[in-house]
């Protein structure tokens, strides 16, 4: 998935889920009254949050960063809500 497309989806309030290594991950933008944060992690597990997208994009979870995961995931494994 292209980085620009992902950022556009998140800025429009969409949630992106994808399957990687037999696990489902989710990334979304969370709006609070005073700040905006990005949340990323396993769908039914702990989420990592940050005010900075790049911190989420390059943070390693289970040995892989979000950028590495999205490069290897096919379009049939990506779900946009």
């Amino acid at each position: 998935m292209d980085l620009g497309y992902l950022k556009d989806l998140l800025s429009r309030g969409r949630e992106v889920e994808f399957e990687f290594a037999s696990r489902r991950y989710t990334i979304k933008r969370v709006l609070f009254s005073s700040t905006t944060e990005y949340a990323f992690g396993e769908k039914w597990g702990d989420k990592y949050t940050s005010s900075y997208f790049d911190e989420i994009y390059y943070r390693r979870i289970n040995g892989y960063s979000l950028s590495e995961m999205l490069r290897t995931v096919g379009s049939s494994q990506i779900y946009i809500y």
Side-chain angles (χ1 to χ4, degrees):
M1 173 178 274
D2 180 57
L3 175 60
Y5 182 54
L6 176 61
K7 283 184 173 182
D8 181 55
L9 289 170
L10 296 175
S11 70
R12 290 188 284 137
R14 307 298 293 269
E15 181 177 342
V16 177
E17 289 183 10
F18 62 93
E19 295 175 13
F20 179 81
S22 300
R23 296 181 180 180
R24 189 168 277 215
Y25 292 89
T26 181
I27 181 167
K28 61 185 171 181
R29 192 174 77 155
V30 183
L31 301 173
F32 296 107
S33 60
S34 61
T35 186
T36 299
E37 290 190 354
Y38 296 92
F40 170 62
E42 289 189 48
K43 180 170 176 127
W44 296 283
D46 293 331
K47 306 286 187 292
Y48 299 97
T49 61
S50 175
S51 299
Y52 303 101
F53 178 79
D54 287 346
E55 188 175 324
I56 293 293
Y57 194 65
Y58 295 109
R59 181 185 185 113
R60 293 195 174 274
I61 296 177
N62 298 329
Y64 296 94
S65 68
L66 174 60
S67 64
E68 293 168 334
M69 290 178 186
L70 290 176
R71 268 188 257 135
T72 61
V73 171
S75 61
S76 65
Q77 298 168 300
I78 298 175
Y79 310 95
I80 301 169
Y81 301 104

